[in-house]
Amino acid sequence: MAPMTSSSPVSWDGFATAEPDFADTVQRRFRLYKHHVLATLRKDGSPRVTGLEADFRFGDMLLGMMPDSLKALDLRRDARFALHANPGPDAEMNDGDVRVSGRAVEITDPEVIARFIEEATPPEPFHLFRAELTEVVRIGLDGDFLVIQSWRPGQPLLTARRK
């Protein structure tokens, strides 16, 4: 795989524009299950892992959470996150292993929040964050090969196959 280069995070829509087929695959994987695993950073820099639902609307991957939850407070202090798609009920992982990383930006625009409430009818009150992506990874099997797909903003989709 190519060395990491720094590039500005992009919205889900920016990712989908750059790599539409890969974005569809990743979104389908997230939609298989309701709950996923969010990693944030605590005040002391140690990781915190919690459950979370991801929502795809308005060209964004949206992360909603209860008011003043520890994960929301973590993201307000340090926006870096990783979100791992629920691996499913067994060890087969036929749909692959998917995760996204980036920065979570809190949405405070009353019009966007009102539109989200109208469409998604979430329990209120809540915090709503927009994922700005810095990396998207999918690992799956193709016969005897492990296939690793990795995308970063400003770079092409990289695919590695390992036996």
Side-chain angles (χ1 to χ4, degrees):
M1 287 196 208
M4 276 183 54
T5 60
S6 62
S7 188
S8 297
V10 299
S11 67
W12 183 267
D13 197 40
F15 165 52
T17 298
E19 292 292 341
D21 292 337
F22 188 45
D24 285 346
T25 297
V26 171
Q27 187 170 341
R28 275 195 313 275
R29 182 65 185 78
F30 271 105
R31 286 190 166 157
L32 282 177
Y33 300 97
K34 183 175 184 174
H35 298 104
H36 308 289
V37 180
L38 176 71
T40 59
L41 295 169
R42 300 171 191 253
K43 276 188 222 180
D44 67 3
S46 63
R48 182 188 316 274
V49 179
T50 56
L52 181 84
E53 297 175 31
D55 193 280
F56 296 87
R57 287 177 203 276
F58 322 135
D60 285 311
M61 174 186 247
L62 300 174
L63 313 173
M65 48 204 80
M66 295 182 343
D68 298 323
S69 62
L70 293 176
K71 58 190 160 195
L73 297 175
D74 286 348
L75 291 172
R76 282 179 158 178
R77 185 181 53 263
D78 186 332
R80 293 177 292 171
F81 78 95
L83 182 64
H84 187 257
N86 185 324
D90 56 34
E92 300 306 310
M93 294 189 48
N94 292 326
D95 297 298
D97 183 38
V98 170
R99 84 172 153 77
V100 300
S101 301
R103 299 182 58 77
V105 177
E106 189 164 14
I107 297 172
T108 58
D109 182 329
E111 290 179 20
V112 175
I113 292 171
R115 186 172 165 208
F116 181 76
I117 290 168
E118 183 178 320
E119 289 189 18
T121 61
E124 294 182 57
F126 60 92
H127 294 287
L128 187 62
F129 292 83
R130 177 182 66 252
E132 292 187 350
L133 306 176
T134 56
E135 182 180 48
V136 181
V137 176
R138 180 183 183 274
I139 300 172
L141 295 174
D142 182 9
D144 292 338
F145 288 92
L146 182 68
V147 179
I148 304 163
Q149 296 174 288
S150 177
W151 177 86
R152 289 184 172 91
Q155 297 182 18
L157 176 64
L158 300 175
T159 303
R161 295 172 62 83
R162 296 186 184 152
K163 187 133 178 137

